[in-house]
Amino acid sequence: MSSTTTAADNVSSNKTRQKVLLSSRDWDTLVTDQNKLRKENTTLSKGGVSERRVTTRAGTRIDRSRHGTHPNYETEGSSEDDDDEQEDPLLTRQDQTDLPSEYWQIQRLVKYLKGGNPTATVIALSSIRDFNLSMDICQLAIRDASGLELLVNLLETDNIDCKIGSLYILKEISNNPTIRRNIADLGGLQTMITLLDEPEKDLKCLAAETIAHVAKFKRARKVVRQNGGIKRLVALLEHAAVNGHGSSNRISHNDNIKNIEVARAGALALWSLSRSNHNKHAMERAGIIPLLAKLLKSSNENMLIPIGGIIEECATDHVYRVAIREMVPDLVKNLLSSNAELQKHCASAIFKCAEDEQIRDLVRKHMGLRPLHDLLQQLDNKALLAAVIGAIWKCAISPKNIAEFQKFRTLDVLVQLLNNQPEEVLVNVVGAIAECAKEAENRTLIRKANGISSLVNLLTGTNQGLLVNTCHALRQISEEPESIAMIDRLDGVRLLWSLLKNQNPRVQAAASWAISPCVKNIKDSGEMVRSFVGGLELIVSLLKSKDVEVLASVCAAIAEIARDEENLAVITDHGVVKLLSNLVTRTEDIVRRYLAEAIAECCKWGNNRQAFGDNQAVAPLVKYLKSTDPNVHQSTAKALHQLSKNPMNCVTMHEAGVVRLLIEMVGSRDEILQENAAICISYIRRLALANEKSRNG
């Protein structure tokens, strides 16, 4: 079919083209099982040749059926998400009278791919390329005519033009999740990987770009790795790194451009592959890190975008994170780019690795904080805004960076962003505010900017990450007397308490951490806590949790709640002594610290001191004094002080060797630790003297 005929047909079908094209999400499940595919593809051409066969220039026949079922399609054990593993988008063929003319034109062209004539095949491929292959109906036409298998077969011919034409079509249609899945099932990835070794640069470029599209689901990423694709793709970057950026002047300008295009295609494929942790490690072993550092210095934005994407994906890995320290100057430089996508990748890379203190300091040293602040004005680009605020959040972990943000009045902008923003932006906004709120000056600023009411309103949401960050922010803000009064008036404490019912341990822990300073700083908090129906029973029940952070935070909250005598009586009735005693064998210092605080406070009611002893909670506490954490020493000394007021507990402590350990604590510079250790020793000594006196009559 000539291009003129095709054009005429296209013009005549303008009205037909207006018909509603089916969404790819309405496609039926395409049978990807190889045996079923073979049954469906046994329709013979005029020459009686199976549609699964294509004639190469040498006249040999290629049978795709030999690929069979690929053994490396088992599920990959990786932390990555699978983009489209759950999607099932195949077009359902409409009634034939409703199909647009493009469908029939493509079907006729696909027939020319089966004849074996190289010239006819190239012409047919060129004509198919003239269609808008991003349209679902065009993809459906290729699939229904068994074109996918034919296109994959053509990759093994000796004709370069056939390979390039086939790859171009596969590249365009592989944006569809089902098409890319079927290309992988037909063994197309293995063939494309071998094409990366071809000397023809256009062929390598198209093969890498097609791999980039197909490798967007987990099984495909594994196939590429297991068939040596990663090493070949990394090798594509080397030419641009050496020749495309000034290391050699012996190649022509056109060759430089070609090398950069090939490297860009390789980077696109590696970007898709880098979603797998296994692939990240394979890329690192193949030597990608120094190449990323070199290519990040490029002035070619088309190259920088996939390079930035790879760095963003790999920034969570420790090996890459260490290497990124050397890349921070270039990441900061690219924040000043006019390309929003490049800015997003660089900001997101900083976001993901700025928990590393050195990287936070390097961002400040290379003047990266100001560009981050300036990018807060990009309100229309939510993806960029979320990445930038995420970077600000992590950079704000360092007090020196907070001081810089104070100069820029960044917090004012963040508070304004608490309203009318999508959740993916709000999570990072609130996280940044929580970090900034560690400074007393900023807590006042948040209150004066009406940020507290916005934060309290967020407690009624369902986004787990947002709830966690909101609790962290309120935890910091509640340290200021005027702010805690406002939180109380807005019913914030009740909302925090209600989050203890959330099934997510991170939310439970964050809410408990926030409740502690609220109970501590609110006037008449004891009465307020008792007004929450079932509230005390709820928080005590969380001592049965298996989560370390939940246990530590709940113990901290109980330590504050128990300072009110009536509340202490209530939680004692709910069995707090037994539950706390069950935890004394824990080895985590964060749990030990707050558990000891809670025990110290709970000893102050009724027979609780004796009850702790009866529940074998005393002797394990003595071991806490061997911890390396001075905070554990202080809280343990408080608990032992209170427990030592019971004679039997003194005996237990003495037998556990507490005296020698406490004598060491008496020499501490911590006055609270000194005092409690000394008092505990005095109680034990008094009991020993009393026993000696009674024996001597």
Side-chain angles (χ1 to χ4, degrees), residues 198-221:
E198 293 282 341
E200 176 61 43
K201 292 180 181 177
D202 287 339
L203 195 58
K204 290 197 286 191
C205 192
L206 281 169
E209 287 181 331
T210 309
I211 291 172
H213 290 174
V214 177
K216 288 183 178 177
F217 68 100
K218 188 185 297 184
R219 291 186 293 118
R221 288 190 280 266

mmCIF file with all atom_site columns, all heavy atoms in Angstrom, residues 198-221:
data_model
loop_
_atom_site.group_PDB
_atom_site.id
_atom_site.type_symbol
_atom_site.label_atom_id
_atom_site.label_alt_id
_atom_site.label_comp_id
_atom_site.label_asym_id
_atom_site.label_entity_id
_atom_site.label_seq_id
_atom_site.pdbx_PDB_ins_code
_atom_site.Cartn_x
_atom_site.Cartn_y
_atom_site.Cartn_z
_atom_site.occupancy
_atom_site.B_iso_or_equiv
_atom_site.pdbx_formal_charge
_atom_site.auth_seq_id
_atom_site.auth_comp_id
_atom_site.auth_asym_id
_atom_site.auth_atom_id
_atom_site.pdbx_PDB_model_num
ATOM 1   N N   . GLU A 1 198 ? 25.133 -4.356  18.761 1.00 0.00 ? 198 GLU A N   1
ATOM 2   C CA  . GLU A 1 198 ? 25.277 -4.035  17.340 1.00 0.00 ? 198 GLU A CA  1
ATOM 3   C C   . GLU A 1 198 ? 26.083 -2.747  17.162 1.00 0.00 ? 198 GLU A C   1
ATOM 4   O O   . GLU A 1 198 ? 25.986 -1.825  17.979 1.00 0.00 ? 198 GLU A O   1
ATOM 5   C CB  . GLU A 1 198 ? 23.901 -3.862  16.697 1.00 0.00 ? 198 GLU A CB  1
ATOM 6   C CG  . GLU A 1 198 ? 23.076 -5.134  16.631 1.00 0.00 ? 198 GLU A CG  1
ATOM 7   C CD  . GLU A 1 198 ? 23.534 -6.043  15.506 1.00 0.00 ? 198 GLU A CD  1
ATOM 8   O OE1 . GLU A 1 198 ? 24.211 -5.552  14.582 1.00 0.00 ? 198 GLU A OE1 1
ATOM 9   O OE2 . GLU A 1 198 ? 23.226 -7.254  15.569 1.00 0.00 ? 198 GLU A OE2 1
ATOM 10  N N   . PRO A 1 199 ? 26.875 -2.646  16.079 1.00 0.00 ? 199 PRO A N   1
ATOM 11  C CA  . PRO A 1 199 ? 27.648 -1.417  15.849 1.00 0.00 ? 199 PRO A CA  1
ATOM 12  C C   . PRO A 1 199 ? 26.779 -0.240  15.404 1.00 0.00 ? 199 PRO A C   1
ATOM 13  O O   . PRO A 1 199 ? 27.162 0.911   15.596 1.00 0.00 ? 199 PRO A O   1
ATOM 14  C CB  . PRO A 1 199 ? 28.626 -1.823  14.742 1.00 0.00 ? 199 PRO A CB  1
ATOM 15  C CG  . PRO A 1 199 ? 27.971 -2.969  14.040 1.00 0.00 ? 199 PRO A CG  1
ATOM 16  C CD  . PRO A 1 199 ? 27.185 -3.699  15.077 1.00 0.00 ? 199 PRO A CD  1
ATOM 17  N N   . GLU A 1 200 ? 25.613 -0.531  14.797 1.00 0.00 ? 200 GLU A N   1
ATOM 18  C CA  . GLU A 1 200 ? 24.732 0.521   14.317 1.00 0.00 ? 200 GLU A CA  1
ATOM 19  C C   . GLU A 1 200 ? 24.129 1.282   15.509 1.00 0.00 ? 200 GLU A C   1
ATOM 20  O O   . GLU A 1 200 ? 23.388 0.724   16.316 1.00 0.00 ? 200 GLU A O   1
ATOM 21  C CB  . GLU A 1 200 ? 23.614 -0.078  13.460 1.00 0.00 ? 200 GLU A CB  1
ATOM 22  C CG  . GLU A 1 200 ? 22.572 0.903   12.989 1.00 0.00 ? 200 GLU A CG  1
ATOM 23  C CD  . GLU A 1 200 ? 23.151 1.998   12.120 1.00 0.00 ? 200 GLU A CD  1
ATOM 24  O OE1 . GLU A 1 200 ? 23.994 1.699   11.250 1.00 0.00 ? 200 GLU A OE1 1
ATOM 25  O OE2 . GLU A 1 200 ? 22.757 3.159   12.339 1.00 0.00 ? 200 GLU A OE2 1
ATOM 26  N N   . LYS A 1 201 ? 24.446 2.577   15.636 1.00 0.00 ? 201 LYS A N   1
ATOM 27  C CA  . LYS A 1 201 ? 24.043 3.349   16.815 1.00 0.00 ? 201 LYS A CA  1
ATOM 28  C C   . LYS A 1 201 ? 22.537 3.598   16.869 1.00 0.00 ? 201 LYS A C   1
ATOM 29  O O   . LYS A 1 201 ? 21.941 3.621   17.949 1.00 0.00 ? 201 LYS A O   1
ATOM 30  C CB  . LYS A 1 201 ? 24.809 4.671   16.858 1.00 0.00 ? 201 LYS A CB  1
ATOM 31  C CG  . LYS A 1 201 ? 26.295 4.471   17.138 1.00 0.00 ? 201 LYS A CG  1
ATOM 32  C CD  . LYS A 1 201 ? 27.057 5.777   17.179 1.00 0.00 ? 201 LYS A CD  1
ATOM 33  C CE  . LYS A 1 201 ? 28.542 5.516   17.449 1.00 0.00 ? 201 LYS A CE  1
ATOM 34  N NZ  . LYS A 1 201 ? 29.336 6.759   17.438 1.00 0.00 ? 201 LYS A NZ  1
ATOM 35  N N   . ASP A 1 202 ? 21.918 3.796   15.696 1.00 0.00 ? 202 ASP A N   1
ATOM 36  C CA  . ASP A 1 202 ? 20.466 3.983   15.681 1.00 0.00 ? 202 ASP A CA  1
ATOM 37  C C   . ASP A 1 202 ? 19.758 2.748   16.224 1.00 0.00 ? 202 ASP A C   1
ATOM 38  O O   . ASP A 1 202 ? 18.750 2.853   16.939 1.00 0.00 ? 202 ASP A O   1
ATOM 39  C CB  . ASP A 1 202 ? 19.978 4.270   14.261 1.00 0.00 ? 202 ASP A CB  1
ATOM 40  C CG  . ASP A 1 202 ? 20.343 5.673   13.803 1.00 0.00 ? 202 ASP A CG  1
ATOM 41  O OD1 . ASP A 1 202 ? 20.588 6.527   14.679 1.00 0.00 ? 202 ASP A OD1 1
ATOM 42  O OD2 . ASP A 1 202 ? 20.393 5.916   12.584 1.00 0.00 ? 202 ASP A OD2 1
ATOM 43  N N   . LEU A 1 203 ? 20.286 1.586   15.885 1.00 0.00 ? 203 LEU A N   1
ATOM 44  C CA  . LEU A 1 203 ? 19.698 0.329   16.348 1.00 0.00 ? 203 LEU A CA  1
ATOM 45  C C   . LEU A 1 203 ? 19.834 0.199   17.864 1.00 0.00 ? 203 LEU A C   1
ATOM 46  O O   . LEU A 1 203 ? 18.887 -0.154  18.572 1.00 0.00 ? 203 LEU A O   1
ATOM 47  C CB  . LEU A 1 203 ? 20.386 -0.836  15.643 1.00 0.00 ? 203 LEU A CB  1
ATOM 48  C CG  . LEU A 1 203 ? 19.710 -2.203  15.712 1.00 0.00 ? 203 LEU A CG  1
ATOM 49  C CD1 . LEU A 1 203 ? 18.308 -2.146  15.145 1.00 0.00 ? 203 LEU A CD1 1
ATOM 50  C CD2 . LEU A 1 203 ? 20.552 -3.234  14.959 1.00 0.00 ? 203 LEU A CD2 1
ATOM 51  N N   . LYS A 1 204 ? 21.032 0.495   18.380 1.00 0.00 ? 204 LYS A N   1
ATOM 52  C CA  . LYS A 1 204 ? 21.242 0.433   19.829 1.00 0.00 ? 204 LYS A CA  1
ATOM 53  C C   . LYS A 1 204 ? 20.342 1.422   20.565 1.00 0.00 ? 204 LYS A C   1
ATOM 54  O O   . LYS A 1 204 ? 19.787 1.123   21.616 1.00 0.00 ? 204 LYS A O   1
ATOM 55  C CB  . LYS A 1 204 ? 22.714 0.725   20.158 1.00 0.00 ? 204 LYS A CB  1
ATOM 56  C CG  . LYS A 1 204 ? 23.664 -0.373  19.740 1.00 0.00 ? 204 LYS A CG  1
ATOM 57  C CD  . LYS A 1 204 ? 25.016 -0.259  20.422 1.00 0.00 ? 204 LYS A CD  1
ATOM 58  C CE  . LYS A 1 204 ? 25.836 0.866   19.841 1.00 0.00 ? 204 LYS A CE  1
ATOM 59  N NZ  . LYS A 1 204 ? 27.235 0.814   20.327 1.00 0.00 ? 204 LYS A NZ  1
ATOM 60  N N   . CYS A 1 205 ? 20.210 2.599   19.982 1.00 0.00 ? 205 CYS A N   1
ATOM 61  C CA  . CYS A 1 205 ? 19.403 3.644   20.607 1.00 0.00 ? 205 CYS A CA  1
ATOM 62  C C   . CYS A 1 205 ? 17.938 3.215   20.720 1.00 0.00 ? 205 CYS A C   1
ATOM 63  O O   . CYS A 1 205 ? 17.324 3.324   21.782 1.00 0.00 ? 205 CYS A O   1
ATOM 64  C CB  . CYS A 1 205 ? 19.523 4.924   19.784 1.00 0.00 ? 205 CYS A CB  1
ATOM 65  S SG  . CYS A 1 205 ? 18.870 6.383   20.598 1.00 0.00 ? 205 CYS A SG  1
ATOM 66  N N   . LEU A 1 206 ? 17.387 2.699   19.610 1.00 0.00 ? 206 LEU A N   1
ATOM 67  C CA  . LEU A 1 206 ? 15.986 2.259   19.619 1.00 0.00 ? 206 LEU A CA  1
ATOM 68  C C   . LEU A 1 206 ? 15.782 1.061   20.540 1.00 0.00 ? 206 LEU A C   1
ATOM 69  O O   . LEU A 1 206 ? 14.768 0.968   21.243 1.00 0.00 ? 206 LEU A O   1
ATOM 70  C CB  . LEU A 1 206 ? 15.547 1.914   18.198 1.00 0.00 ? 206 LEU A CB  1
ATOM 71  C CG  . LEU A 1 206 ? 15.186 3.094   17.295 1.00 0.00 ? 206 LEU A CG  1
ATOM 72  C CD1 . LEU A 1 206 ? 15.032 2.632   15.848 1.00 0.00 ? 206 LEU A CD1 1
ATOM 73  C CD2 . LEU A 1 206 ? 13.905 3.765   17.775 1.00 0.00 ? 206 LEU A CD2 1
ATOM 74  N N   . ALA A 1 207 ? 16.747 0.139   20.545 1.00 0.00 ? 207 ALA A N   1
ATOM 75  C CA  . ALA A 1 207 ? 16.634 -1.039  21.421 1.00 0.00 ? 207 ALA A CA  1
ATOM 76  C C   . ALA A 1 207 ? 16.599 -0.615  22.884 1.00 0.00 ? 207 ALA A C   1
ATOM 77  O O   . ALA A 1 207 ? 15.776 -1.103  23.675 1.00 0.00 ? 207 ALA A O   1
ATOM 78  C CB  . ALA A 1 207 ? 17.799 -1.992  21.165 1.00 0.00 ? 207 ALA A CB  1
ATOM 79  N N   . ALA A 1 208 ? 17.481 0.314   23.266 1.00 0.00 ? 208 ALA A N   1
ATOM 80  C CA  . ALA A 1 208 ? 17.519 0.780   24.660 1.00 0.00 ? 208 ALA A CA  1
ATOM 81  C C   . ALA A 1 208 ? 16.238 1.520   25.031 1.00 0.00 ? 208 ALA A C   1
ATOM 82  O O   . ALA A 1 208 ? 15.706 1.347   26.134 1.00 0.00 ? 208 ALA A O   1
ATOM 83  C CB  . ALA A 1 208 ? 18.737 1.682   24.866 1.00 0.00 ? 208 ALA A CB  1
ATOM 84  N N   . GLU A 1 209 ? 15.728 2.345   24.116 1.00 0.00 ? 209 GLU A N   1
ATOM 85  C CA  . GLU A 1 209 ? 14.489 3.082   24.404 1.00 0.00 ? 209 GLU A CA  1
ATOM 86  C C   . GLU A 1 209 ? 13.307 2.138   24.559 1.00 0.00 ? 209 GLU A C   1
ATOM 87  O O   . GLU A 1 209 ? 12.427 2.357   25.400 1.00 0.00 ? 209 GLU A O   1
ATOM 88  C CB  . GLU A 1 209 ? 14.213 4.098   23.295 1.00 0.00 ? 209 GLU A CB  1
ATOM 89  C CG  . GLU A 1 209 ? 15.148 5.300   23.324 1.00 0.00 ? 209 GLU A CG  1
ATOM 90  C CD  . GLU A 1 209 ? 14.820 6.293   22.224 1.00 0.00 ? 209 GLU A CD  1
ATOM 91  O OE1 . GLU A 1 209 ? 14.305 5.870   21.175 1.00 0.00 ? 209 GLU A OE1 1
ATOM 92  O OE2 . GLU A 1 209 ? 15.068 7.492   22.428 1.00 0.00 ? 209 GLU A OE2 1
ATOM 93  N N   . THR A 1 210 ? 13.269 1.093   23.746 1.00 0.00 ? 210 THR A N   1
ATOM 94  C CA  . THR A 1 210 ? 12.176 0.121   23.855 1.00 0.00 ? 210 THR A CA  1
ATOM 95  C C   . THR A 1 210 ? 12.284 -0.653  25.162 1.00 0.00 ? 210 THR A C   1
ATOM 96  O O   . THR A 1 210 ? 11.275 -0.910  25.828 1.00 0.00 ? 210 THR A O   1
ATOM 97  C CB  . THR A 1 210 ? 12.193 -0.850  22.657 1.00 0.00 ? 210 THR A CB  1
ATOM 98  O OG1 . THR A 1 210 ? 12.259 -0.094  21.443 1.00 0.00 ? 210 THR A OG1 1
ATOM 99  C CG2 . THR A 1 210 ? 10.938 -1.691  22.635 1.00 0.00 ? 210 THR A CG2 1
ATOM 100 N N   . ILE A 1 211 ? 13.511 -1.021  25.532 1.00 0.00 ? 211 ILE A N   1
ATOM 101 C CA  . ILE A 1 211 ? 13.708 -1.681  26.833 1.00 0.00 ? 211 ILE A CA  1
ATOM 102 C C   . ILE A 1 211 ? 13.225 -0.774  27.957 1.00 0.00 ? 211 ILE A C   1
ATOM 103 O O   . ILE A 1 211 ? 12.615 -1.229  28.933 1.00 0.00 ? 211 ILE A O   1
ATOM 104 C CB  . ILE A 1 211 ? 15.193 -2.054  27.028 1.00 0.00 ? 211 ILE A CB  1
ATOM 105 C CG1 . ILE A 1 211 ? 15.586 -3.187  26.067 1.00 0.00 ? 211 ILE A CG1 1
ATOM 106 C CG2 . ILE A 1 211 ? 15.469 -2.474  28.471 1.00 0.00 ? 211 ILE A CG2 1
ATOM 107 C CD1 . ILE A 1 211 ? 17.079 -3.493  26.043 1.00 0.00 ? 211 ILE A CD1 1
ATOM 108 N N   . ALA A 1 212 ? 13.478 0.526   27.824 1.00 0.00 ? 212 ALA A N   1
ATOM 109 C CA  . ALA A 1 212 ? 13.033 1.484   28.845 1.00 0.00 ? 212 ALA A CA  1
ATOM 110 C C   . ALA A 1 212 ? 11.527 1.429   29.035 1.00 0.00 ? 212 ALA A C   1
ATOM 111 O O   . ALA A 1 212 ? 11.023 1.521   30.157 1.00 0.00 ? 212 ALA A O   1
ATOM 112 C CB  . ALA A 1 212 ? 13.462 2.899   28.457 1.00 0.00 ? 212 ALA A CB  1
ATOM 113 N N   . HIS A 1 213 ? 10.784 1.241   27.930 1.00 0.00 ? 213 HIS A N   1
ATOM 114 C CA  . HIS A 1 213 ? 9.322  1.161   28.027 1.00 0.00 ? 213 HIS A CA  1
ATOM 115 C C   . HIS A 1 213 ? 8.860  -0.183  28.569 1.00 0.00 ? 213 HIS A C   1
ATOM 116 O O   . HIS A 1 213 ? 7.975  -0.244  29.415 1.00 0.00 ? 213 HIS A O   1
ATOM 117 C CB  . HIS A 1 213 ? 8.703  1.392   26.646 1.00 0.00 ? 213 HIS A CB  1
ATOM 118 C CG  . HIS A 1 213 ? 8.834  2.788   26.150 1.00 0.00 ? 213 HIS A CG  1
ATOM 119 N ND1 . HIS A 1 213 ? 8.461  3.182   24.896 1.00 0.00 ? 213 HIS A ND1 1
ATOM 120 C CD2 . HIS A 1 213 ? 9.304  3.913   26.742 1.00 0.00 ? 213 HIS A CD2 1
ATOM 121 C CE1 . HIS A 1 213 ? 8.686  4.473   24.731 1.00 0.00 ? 213 HIS A CE1 1
ATOM 122 N NE2 . HIS A 1 213 ? 9.212  4.929   25.844 1.00 0.00 ? 213 HIS A NE2 1
ATOM 123 N N   . VAL A 1 214 ? 9.466  -1.255  28.055 1.00 0.00 ? 214 VAL A N   1
ATOM 124 C CA  . VAL A 1 214 ? 9.011  -2.595  28.435 1.00 0.00 ? 214 VAL A CA  1
ATOM 125 C C   . VAL A 1 214 ? 9.367  -2.906  29.892 1.00 0.00 ? 214 VAL A C   1
ATOM 126 O O   . VAL A 1 214 ? 8.608  -3.574  30.597 1.00 0.00 ? 214 VAL A O   1
ATOM 127 C CB  . VAL A 1 214 ? 9.616  -3.656  27.494 1.00 0.00 ? 214 VAL A CB  1
ATOM 128 C CG1 . VAL A 1 214 ? 9.206  -5.063  27.927 1.00 0.00 ? 214 VAL A CG1 1
ATOM 129 C CG2 . VAL A 1 214 ? 9.165  -3.403  26.055 1.00 0.00 ? 214 VAL A CG2 1
ATOM 130 N N   . ALA A 1 215 ? 10.482 -2.397  30.379 1.00 0.00 ? 215 ALA A N   1
ATOM 131 C CA  . ALA A 1 215 ? 10.978 -2.758  31.714 1.00 0.00 ? 215 ALA A CA  1
ATOM 132 C C   . ALA A 1 215 ? 10.311 -1.962  32.824 1.00 0.00 ? 215 ALA A C   1
ATOM 133 O O   . ALA A 1 215 ? 10.925 -1.680  33.840 1.00 0.00 ? 215 ALA A O   1
ATOM 134 C CB  . ALA A 1 215 ? 12.492 -2.564  31.777 1.00 0.00 ? 215 ALA A CB  1
ATOM 135 N N   . LYS A 1 216 ? 9.052  -1.655  32.641 1.00 0.00 ? 216 LYS A N   1
ATOM 136 C CA  . LYS A 1 216 ? 8.334  -0.926  33.681 1.00 0.00 ? 216 LYS A CA  1
ATOM 137 C C   . LYS A 1 216 ? 7.502  -1.843  34.560 1.00 0.00 ? 216 LYS A C   1
ATOM 138 O O   . LYS A 1 216 ? 6.646  -1.372  35.306 1.00 0.00 ? 216 LYS A O   1
ATOM 139 C CB  . LYS A 1 216 ? 7.454  0.157   33.039 1.00 0.00 ? 216 LYS A CB  1
ATOM 140 C CG  . LYS A 1 216 ? 8.280  1.309   32.490 1.00 0.00 ? 216 LYS A CG  1
ATOM 141 C CD  . LYS A 1 216 ? 7.418  2.412   31.923 1.00 0.00 ? 216 LYS A CD  1
ATOM 142 C CE  . LYS A 1 216 ? 8.300  3.568   31.434 1.00 0.00 ? 216 LYS A CE  1
ATOM 143 N NZ  . LYS A 1 216 ? 7.519  4.655   30.812 1.00 0.00 ? 216 LYS A NZ  1
ATOM 144 N N   . PHE A 1 217 ? 7.723  -3.144  34.453 1.00 0.00 ? 217 PHE A N   1
ATOM 145 C CA  . PHE A 1 217 ? 7.115  -4.054  35.424 1.00 0.00 ? 217 PHE A CA  1
ATOM 146 C C   . PHE A 1 217 ? 8.177  -5.045  35.906 1.00 0.00 ? 217 PHE A C   1
ATOM 147 O O   . PHE A 1 217 ? 9.191  -5.265  35.254 1.00 0.00 ? 217 PHE A O   1
ATOM 148 C CB  . PHE A 1 217 ? 5.870  -4.743  34.852 1.00 0.00 ? 217 PHE A CB  1
ATOM 149 C CG  . PHE A 1 217 ? 6.112  -5.717  33.747 1.00 0.00 ? 217 PHE A CG  1
ATOM 150 C CD1 . PHE A 1 217 ? 6.145  -7.081  33.985 1.00 0.00 ? 217 PHE A CD1 1
ATOM 151 C CD2 . PHE A 1 217 ? 6.287  -5.273  32.435 1.00 0.00 ? 217 PHE A CD2 1
ATOM 152 C CE1 . PHE A 1 217 ? 6.344  -7.988  32.963 1.00 0.00 ? 217 PHE A CE1 1
ATOM 153 C CE2 . PHE A 1 217 ? 6.483  -6.171  31.406 1.00 0.00 ? 217 PHE A CE2 1
ATOM 154 C CZ  . PHE A 1 217 ? 6.510  -7.526  31.666 1.00 0.00 ? 217 PHE A CZ  1
ATOM 155 N N   . LYS A 1 218 ? 7.914  -5.601  37.054 1.00 0.00 ? 218 LYS A N   1
ATOM 156 C CA  . LYS A 1 218 ? 8.954  -6.301  37.804 1.00 0.00 ? 218 LYS A CA  1
ATOM 157 C C   . LYS A 1 218 ? 9.590  -7.459  37.037 1.00 0.00 ? 218 LYS A C   1
ATOM 158 O O   . LYS A 1 218 ? 10.808 -7.599  36.986 1.00 0.00 ? 218 LYS A O   1
ATOM 159 C CB  . LYS A 1 218 ? 8.362  -6.804  39.117 1.00 0.00 ? 218 LYS A CB  1
ATOM 160 C CG  . LYS A 1 218 ? 9.384  -7.383  40.077 1.00 0.00 ? 218 LYS A CG  1
ATOM 161 C CD  . LYS A 1 218 ? 8.733  -7.986  41.314 1.00 0.00 ? 218 LYS A CD  1
ATOM 162 C CE  . LYS A 1 218 ? 8.001  -6.964  42.133 1.00 0.00 ? 218 LYS A CE  1
ATOM 163 N NZ  . LYS A 1 218 ? 7.469  -7.547  43.376 1.00 0.00 ? 218 LYS A NZ  1
ATOM 164 N N   . ARG A 1 219 ? 8.774  -8.300  36.444 1.00 0.00 ? 219 ARG A N   1
ATOM 165 C CA  . ARG A 1 219 ? 9.329  -9.472  35.757 1.00 0.00 ? 219 ARG A CA  1
ATOM 166 C C   . ARG A 1 219 ? 10.264 -9.073  34.621 1.00 0.00 ? 219 ARG A C   1
ATOM 167 O O   . ARG A 1 219 ? 11.290 -9.706  34.389 1.00 0.00 ? 219 ARG A O   1
ATOM 168 C CB  . ARG A 1 219 ? 8.191  -10.344 35.213 1.00 0.00 ? 219 ARG A CB  1
ATOM 169 C CG  . ARG A 1 219 ? 7.392  -11.025 36.332 1.00 0.00 ? 219 ARG A CG  1
ATOM 170 C CD  . ARG A 1 219 ? 6.372  -11.996 35.763 1.00 0.00 ? 219 ARG A CD  1
ATOM 171 N NE  . ARG A 1 219 ? 5.317  -11.307 35.023 1.00 0.00 ? 219 ARG A NE  1
ATOM 172 C CZ  . ARG A 1 219 ? 5.077  -11.489 33.739 1.00 0.00 ? 219 ARG A CZ  1
ATOM 173 N NH1 . ARG A 1 219 ? 5.831  -12.294 33.034 1.00 0.00 ? 219 ARG A NH1 1
ATOM 174 N NH2 . ARG A 1 219 ? 4.083  -10.854 33.140 1.00 0.00 ? 219 ARG A NH2 1
ATOM 175 N N   . ALA A 1 220 ? 9.879  -8.022  33.902 1.00 0.00 ? 220 ALA A N   1
ATOM 176 C CA  . ALA A 1 220 ? 10.723 -7.570  32.794 1.00 0.00 ? 220 ALA A CA  1
ATOM 177 C C   . ALA A 1 220 ? 12.062 -7.057  33.299 1.00 0.00 ? 220 ALA A C   1
ATOM 178 O O   . ALA A 1 220 ? 13.113 -7.302  32.689 1.00 0.00 ? 220 ALA A O   1
ATOM 179 C CB  . ALA A 1 220 ? 9.998  -6.481  32.010 1.00 0.00 ? 220 ALA A CB  1
ATOM 180 N N   . ARG A 1 221 ? 12.049 -6.348  34.422 1.00 0.00 ? 221 ARG A N   1
ATOM 181 C CA  . ARG A 1 221 ? 13.304 -5.840  34.982 1.00 0.00 ? 221 ARG A CA  1
ATOM 182 C C   . ARG A 1 221 ? 14.237 -6.991  35.349 1.00 0.00 ? 221 ARG A C   1
ATOM 183 O O   . ARG A 1 221 ? 15.452 -6.911  35.178 1.00 0.00 ? 221 ARG A O   1
ATOM 184 C CB  . ARG A 1 221 ? 13.009 -4.960  36.195 1.00 0.00 ? 221 ARG A CB  1
ATOM 185 C CG  . ARG A 1 221 ? 12.400 -3.626  35.847 1.00 0.00 ? 221 ARG A CG  1
ATOM 186 C CD  . ARG A 1 221 ? 12.367 -2.712  37.044 1.00 0.00 ? 221 ARG A CD  1
ATOM 187 N NE  . ARG A 1 221 ? 11.273 -2.982  37.945 1.00 0.00 ? 221 ARG A NE  1
ATOM 188 C CZ  . ARG A 1 221 ? 10.099 -2.367  37.914 1.00 0.00 ? 221 ARG A CZ  1
ATOM 189 N NH1 . ARG A 1 221 ? 9.858  -1.464  36.985 1.00 0.00 ? 221 ARG A NH1 1
ATOM 190 N NH2 . ARG A 1 221 ? 9.157  -2.646  38.785 1.00 0.00 ? 221 ARG A NH2 1
#
